[in-house]
Amino acid sequence: MMNAPTRYREPSDRITALLEQHAPRAIPIRTIARELGIDRKTVAKYLELLAASGDVSLERFGQKKLYRRAHRLPLPEVLHRLPNALVILDGDLQVSMVNASFVATLGIHPPRNLVGARLLDLDLPVFSEPAVRRNIERIHGAETYLDEMQLIDDGTDRVYLLEFAPIVTPPARPGVMVSLRDITATRKAEAALKNAEQKMATLFETAPCGIVIFTASGTVLNANPTALRALGLRTFEQLRPASIFALVGPPETLEELIAKGRAAEIELAIDFYCMRREQVPCAKPGGASFDAVFTPIRRDGGGGPGEFAILFRDITEDRYTRRDLASQEIRS
């Protein structure tokens, strides 16, 4: 006489085998009952059990219920496919599981069977660090702990991001899951970007030419010290209320360049009286002429430029000098 588990497995195995035969197509209860020679109520009961266990998936099509074989990926295989290194400890801080990335990230060669060993007794990179060990012990003791930390491995100069989480399985003591990710490349990229930004900021502040950055609508976003001196201003706040179109002329030239979105060499004129009418407290009289380079500032993601810059040099004195020389030559 078959016991209960055997009675359950025999029909359920036949049902799952039939669903495999029909895969990937989902089929209704009546098809299963007809092909297996089992009444529909019995099939429905077993399908309900198989769906609850995750072996069968149910799909609804109007009033119909259609079933297909569910292919579940075993949890250990899922964990082995994760890019992050992962170690799971039981309530005694013994290793229950490590994934393939854990072995590769920590450079464990040849691969050792760590399962069953107490993690804190193993001389593993990163996990031998006192801060990491203390945090694991805090979780084990149900104390306040850090859910993540960054660590630089002195031996390799690698930078790691560690994430910690308790695994509660009453009535046992809490286990611990630690995720480990090598973020060295990310940190180096961030450092390189910060260094580049600092260099650009230094260049902007110390450039011998004036630099003004603005939007297509004319809003002035920034100006370097050389530009402020050329405009007779002390601080950028004095320039902020003005539109770039009110500062430089002819404005039509600037509007055309913005529309084209291409770099160009141009000559600009600035009327300091006009600046004062625009509530810009310019300390210079008259006006000035400038040789300038107009350039769009491209976005990282592509598309049209959102900002523009003018790099300029005051040529007013050169203009006066040339005019005086020309006058002298005419008189002579």
Side-chain angles (χ1 to χ4, degrees), residues 12 75 147 204 246 290 325:
S12 66
L75 181 59
D147 56 4
F204 182 80
F290 298 90
L325 287 173

Side-chain angles (χ1 to χ4, degrees), residues 227 229-232 247-250 267-276 282 284-292 312-320:
R229 287 194 296 271
L231 298 175
L247 294 179
V248 300
E267 187 173 308
L268 297 174
I270 293 182
D271 186 336
F272 297 126
Y273 294 113
C274 181
M275 286 178 60
R276 284 191 284 274
C282 172
K284 287 190 172 184
S289 298
F290 298 90
D291 271 344
F312 60 90
R313 180 177 64 89
D314 192 335
I315 58 171
T316 308
E317 189 173 339
D318 292 344
R319 281 282 184 86
Y320 288 149

Side-chain angles (χ1 to χ4, degrees), residues 211-229:
I211 304 174
V212 177
I213 300 173
F214 54 95
T215 67
S217 62
T219 302
V220 179
L221 300 176
N222 207 349
N224 71 344
T226 303
L228 295 176
R229 287 194 296 271

Side-chain angles (χ1 to χ4, degrees), residues 14-37:
R14 293 177 63 197
I15 291 172
T16 53
L18 181 65
L19 293 175
E20 288 279 8
Q21 293 174 17
H22 284 272
R25 185 168 60 90
I27 56 177
I29 291 177
R30 69 171 182 273
T31 301
I32 300 171
R34 183 181 68 251
E35 294 192 18
L36 295 181

Side-chain angles (χ1 to χ4, degrees), residues 6-150:
T6 304
R7 288 199 306 271
Y8 166 70
R9 292 309 312 167
E10 196 272 334
S12 66
D13 288 344
R14 293 177 63 197
I15 291 172
T16 53
L18 181 65
L19 293 175
E20 288 279 8
Q21 293 174 17
H22 284 272
R25 185 168 60 90
I27 56 177
I29 291 177
R30 69 171 182 273
T31 301
I32 300 171
R34 183 181 68 251
E35 294 192 18
L36 295 181
I38 305 174
D39 67 87
R40 294 176 61 175
K41 286 186 178 181
T42 302
V43 171
K45 180 184 69 174
Y46 280 105
L47 284 172
E48 185 178 344
L49 294 171
L50 288 168
S53 65
D55 293 299
V56 166
S57 62
L58 166 64
E59 301 173 11
R60 294 185 180 274
F61 187 76
Q63 297 296 320
K64 287 185 178 180
K65 293 181 180 180
L66 303 177
Y67 295 86
R68 72 171 75 243
R69 184 77 165 94
H71 293 280
R72 295 181 297 170
L73 199 61
L75 181 59
E77 187 173 343
V78 173
L79 297 178
H80 278 302
R81 295 187 182 191
L82 294 176
N84 287 12
L86 193 70
V87 58
I88 297 177
L89 310 178
D90 63 17
D92 296 320
L93 299 186
Q94 293 179 341
V95 178
S96 295
M97 193 280 298
V98 296
N99 66 353
S101 183
F102 184 89
V103 175
T105 301
L106 296 186
I108 302 174
H109 298 296
R112 295 151 50 188
N113 183 14
L114 305 177
V115 175
R118 195 169 186 273
L119 180 68
L120 301 185
D121 293 338
L122 299 172
D123 186 22
L124 294 177
V126 179
F127 291 91
S128 59
E129 293 291 333
V132 176
R133 298 168 70 91
R134 281 196 301 270
N135 207 45
I136 291 174
E137 288 170 343
R138 289 190 192 104
I139 299 174
H140 186 241
E143 301 173 20
T144 303
Y145 66 93
L146 299 174
D147 56 4
E148 70 174 45
M149 64 171 63
Q150 291 187 24

